[in-house]
Amino acid sequence: MLKVLLSGCNGKMGKVVTDLIESENNIEIVAGIDISKKHNKFPVFKDFKNCTIKADVIIDFSHHSMIPALIDYSVKTKTPAVICTTGLDEEIIQKIKDASNKVALFKSGNMSLGVNLITKLAQEAAKVLSESFDIEIIEKHHNRKLDAPSGTAYMIADAINETLNNSKEYNFGRYGKSAKRNKNEIGIHAVRGGTIVGEHTVIYAGPDEIIEIKHTAMSRKIFAAGAIKAAKFLANKTSGLYNMSDILK
């Protein structure tokens, strides 16, 4: 039985993860981390330093401010962690990279297998089209999402840029009377409204033709399912920093 410590267990994604795990065999939540307590079937601690229950792996859908404590706990207890929280700054990302030398960590800008697949497709398209096509990314999310652009938009843009030897610069939206597009940029645009779960479109606009690669999330279950899949993948791994590409191989 794979034992999970669920960080952010009482948030929206935490509840979805809990429901999915309860419907599966060979995996269970043995404890949670959350600032709020509800009627959970497992013990919940306010922070990692007070957690007294050992797990095989951590699944995290919390807040970026929680990640440093999570990393310290992961290293101290040698507990692998699947980090699903987005909006991480460079300092936290570097902390994750450093910690991955001591413990197995999994980080992805999006936990959906579909999103990670279209990221690979976007890379392949960029290899063929980048010379004569402009690349734009549009992401749409619900009106309560805190970070913009989304971690997924960054993930897709970074993957494309890596394919193109990091030759592109990011333009976050356009405004003004001198907003003509530059050849070496990737445009990234954020839409916030209603209850949109998540939509990402990569546009390749060329001479007289347009190609679009698009992913639409219909529910949060796809992110929870991806996180659980990652937890099962990570549980017996040696130290290192893993992502969805490792699962898709």
Side-chain angles (χ1 to χ4, degrees):
M1 183 72 72
L2 184 66
K3 297 179 180 179
V4 174
L5 173 58
L6 180 57
S7 175
C9 60
N10 289 329
K12 289 182 178 179
M13 279 305 307
K15 294 174 185 175
V16 178
V17 173
T18 300
D19 289 343
L20 278 185
I21 287 180
E22 287 181 349
S23 69
E24 290 201 20
N25 298 319
N26 302 320
I27 183 171
E28 64 175 342
I29 301 172
V30 294
I33 305 291
D34 206 292
I35 57 174
S36 64
K37 282 196 174 183
K38 298 186 178 180
H39 297 293
N40 304 91
K41 296 179 181 179
F42 45 83
V44 177
F45 302 89
K46 286 189 175 181
D47 50 47
F48 284 96
K49 66 182 179 181
N50 291 319
C51 181
T52 58
I53 296 177
K54 185 71 172 73
D56 299 315
V57 64
I58 302 165
I59 296 178
D60 172 76
F61 278 103
S62 60
H63 187 269
H64 62 82
S65 62
M66 293 287 293
I67 304 306
L70 181 155
I71 296 302
D72 291 340
Y73 176 88
S74 179
V75 171
K76 181 180 178 180
T77 61
K78 300 299 181 185
T79 309
V82 179
I83 302 169
C84 308
T85 298
T86 59
L88 309 182
D89 61 27
E90 289 300 321
E91 184 177 350
I92 295 178
I93 291 173
Q94 187 58 52
K95 186 178 180 71
I96 292 171
K97 291 178 180 178
D98 293 341
S100 69
N101 293 316
K102 302 175 182 177
V103 66
L105 299 175
F106 189 105
K107 178 186 174 298
S108 178
N110 191 295
M111 297 308 299
S112 158
L113 291 175
V115 163
N116 284 273
L117 179 58
I118 72 157
T119 301
K120 286 183 172 292
L121 295 175
Q123 286 180 295
E124 292 303 311
K127 292 176 184 178
V128 178
L129 304 174
S130 63
E131 287 298 318
S132 55
F133 283 66
D134 298 321
I135 304 172
E136 300 280 310
I137 298 171
I138 301 174
E139 58 97 343
K140 302 177 184 178
H141 283 89
H142 54 87
N143 57 21
R144 296 179 63 84
K145 184 171 176 61
L146 296 177
D147 55 313
S150 67
T152 303
Y154 276 114
M155 182 181 78
I156 295 171
D158 289 344
I160 292 172
N161 207 13
E162 181 180 348
T163 297
L164 302 177
N165 299 314
N166 294 310
S167 60
K168 301 292 186 179
E169 298 177 356
Y170 300 160
N171 187 333
F172 300 100
R174 292 186 177 82
Y175 176 80
K177 297 180 180 179
S178 299
K180 181 179 178 181
R181 195 184 199 286
N182 294 320
K183 172 71 175 175
N184 68 330
E185 68 182 43
I186 296 175
I188 304 177
H189 313 275
V191 175
R192 296 289 177 267
T195 58
I196 302 171
V197 176
E199 181 180 297
H200 294 84
T201 305
V202 187
I203 301 170
Y204 299 87
D208 304 315
E209 60 181 333
I210 299 170
I211 298 171
E212 293 187 1
I213 300 174
K214 181 179 179 180
H215 178 274
T216 302
M218 306 304 292
S219 82
R220 291 184 173 88
K221 288 182 180 180
I222 62 171
F223 310 124
I228 294 169
K229 190 176 185 70
K232 293 176 179 178
F233 166 85
L234 195 67
N236 297 314
K237 289 290 183 291
T238 57
S239 60
L241 184 57
Y242 302 88
N243 57 42
M244 276 294 176
S245 294
D246 297 301
I247 292 179
L248 291 173
K249 287 179 180 177

